[in-house]
Amino acid sequence: MKQKIHHPYTKLGRIKSTIAQEAHIKCTDIYISVNQLKHIYARHQKELEQIGMTAEEYIKYILNNFNQIRKGSGESILLVVYHETDDKHNTAAMALNYSIEKEFWEIKTAQPRKTDDILKREKIW
């Protein structure tokens, strides 16, 4: 039986089974660690302030609105809020955490990315 995830992780959502099947990825919960929230805020404070969101609010926005999944670096995937008319797109990079006690998607970073960067990555959903 899987253990419940406790601090320093916060559950933010879940990959729905229909999307997971179509994208050939794991249908499981999405968590973020305190350290990754600090990383996102430290690296992307300016962008977050411009849109008036905290790092956690920004990630929740992406999780509730993504319309593409693309391959990221290594084994990671990118959830993308893609709009044809925008030059930048909101993205959250996630990797599957494979430890025995906790198998879940873990948010590694989140930031606006340019269209060129998004389009060069393989679309899986």
Side-chain angles (χ1 to χ4, degrees):
M1 184 171 146
K2 289 185 186 177
Q3 294 179 355
K4 286 190 176 183
I5 311 303
H6 296 288
H7 183 75
Y9 290 98
T10 302
K11 181 179 175 184
L12 297 177
R14 182 173 181 84
I15 294 289
K16 293 179 183 176
S17 62
T18 53
I19 293 172
Q21 287 174 356
E22 291 174 20
H24 304 288
I25 60 174
K26 201 73 137 150
C27 171
T28 191
D29 293 331
I30 300 169
Y31 285 84
I32 191 162
S33 71
V34 171
N35 288 340
Q36 292 310 119
L37 278 171
K38 288 177 184 176
H39 159 82
I40 293 167
Y41 186 74
R43 295 279 308 252
H44 305 290
Q45 178 181 358
K46 183 178 173 184
E47 294 104 323
L48 291 170
E49 288 174 353
Q50 287 175 347
I51 59 175
M53 289 186 193
T54 66
E56 192 169 337
E57 290 170 337
Y58 184 63
I59 294 164
K60 286 180 179 179
Y61 167 78
I62 294 167
L63 295 179
N64 289 322
N65 294 286
F66 73 92
N67 54 7
Q68 291 185 1
I69 300 176
R70 293 185 177 259
K71 287 191 176 181
S73 302
E75 296 292 316
S76 72
I77 61 171
L78 301 175
L79 302 182
V80 182
V81 180
Y82 186 87
H83 299 285
E84 292 286 333
T85 58
D86 293 344
D87 182 42
K88 289 193 174 179
H89 311 280
N90 300 303
T91 61
M94 303 191 313
L96 198 57
N97 189 320
Y98 286 108
S99 73
I100 293 171
E101 308 83 46
K102 48 188 181 180
E103 183 179 270
F104 56 85
W105 287 106
E106 184 177 355
I107 299 288
K108 295 296 187 180
T109 193
Q111 76 275 349
R113 291 192 183 199
K114 292 188 178 216
T115 301
D116 292 346
D117 180 60
I118 297 298
L119 295 179
K120 72 181 181 184
R121 298 173 184 278
E122 182 184 345
K123 185 176 175 183
I124 58 175
W125 181 82

